[in-house]
Amino acid sequence: MNHVQDSNGKQRQFDDERLPVTFGRYAPRLVEALPPVDVEGRILKAYAMFANPDGSQLRPEPEWLRQQAASVLVDPLQEGDHPAGFLILHHGADGTYLLVSQWFGGDMLKHWVRGSVVDAEGNTTFAPLDQRDLVACVWELEVVRFERDAWVNTVLVPGRLDGDTLDAYLATTFSGWV
């Protein structure tokens, strides 16, 4: 057993058998803003993220991306839902993931994470992950942070969601390395 001191000065124990944890080293990933996707009464800003941006991963066709997002957002807008959000199609080192987020109740975010499944014919769909409590990886969280700031600056600071603020939100996108 090892001991660690918490912020209150109390000694905590942790099991040595759980350590060391091995994982890959951090390397930046490329994010590209894609055209917005209209899904079930919602407009979602769209992003593609690439662990290996050498061109081997194709940029998704807008209709294919809309269909994949629609497979996640099967319910119509509910009370408190905003018709705006974003999605991330992440071509990661260990698989492809689809994250769909929708603004709710002014300052909250609904969020769904799916992993790719390829059938015998080579068609890709997205299904809930076995580890359903996952929110996002460190790279995806950078896009989520950007979207949080965009929502605050374009909608919450003016204090309304109307055509002008929605247009401003949708026009605020990120492309670059995270």
Side-chain angles (χ1 to χ4, degrees):
M1 288 286 200
N2 277 316
H3 296 83
V4 206
Q5 193 171 39
D6 68 15
S7 60
N8 296 322
K10 187 174 181 180
Q11 290 288 319
R12 303 283 180 185
Q13 294 182 5
F14 64 91
D15 186 353
D16 288 339
E17 291 181 17
R18 293 183 181 241
L19 298 175
V21 176
T22 305
F23 44 84
R25 296 180 63 91
Y26 183 87
R29 297 193 179 182
L30 180 63
V31 177
E32 292 182 5
L34 304 172
V37 178
D38 190 346
V39 181
E40 304 296 328
R42 301 160 180 93
I43 300 174
L44 303 177
K45 295 196 280 185
Y47 296 97
M49 182 179 290
F50 304 92
N52 186 6
D54 65 0
S56 63
Q57 298 293 335
L58 297 176
R59 281 30 176 194
E61 292 293 326
E63 179 56 22
W64 179 87
L65 194 55
R66 189 200 67 72
Q67 290 173 2
Q68 301 310 315
S71 74
V72 175
L73 298 172
V74 294
D75 294 327
L77 288 169
Q78 305 294 313
E79 185 175 339
D81 287 346
H82 293 297
F86 58 95
L87 65 81
I88 304 167
L89 179 65
H90 185 175
H91 298 288
D94 64 346
T96 300
Y97 301 91
L98 179 66
L99 291 76
V100 178
S101 300
Q102 173 190 317
W103 292 106
F104 173 83
D107 58 3
M108 291 179 272
L109 189 64
K110 291 182 174 182
H111 186 73
W112 299 267
V113 180
R114 303 290 189 262
S116 65
V117 178
V118 180
D119 67 17
E121 289 82 41
N123 299 313
T124 300
T125 57
F126 290 89
L129 301 175
D130 291 338
Q131 178 52 268
R132 293 178 183 249
D133 296 338
L134 293 179
V135 173
C137 71
V138 295
W139 296 277
E140 296 155 353
L141 285 171
E142 278 297 301
V143 176
V144 173
R145 181 196 54 78
F146 176 88
E147 286 298 317
R148 175 260 181 216
D149 292 347
W151 185 255
V152 167
N153 293 326
T154 60
V155 175
L156 294 182
V157 168
R160 67 184 191 285
L161 181 60
D162 58 22
D164 291 339
T165 58
L166 181 59
D167 288 346
Y169 172 70
L170 294 173
T172 306
T173 60
F174 175 84
S175 288
W177 293 91
V178 294

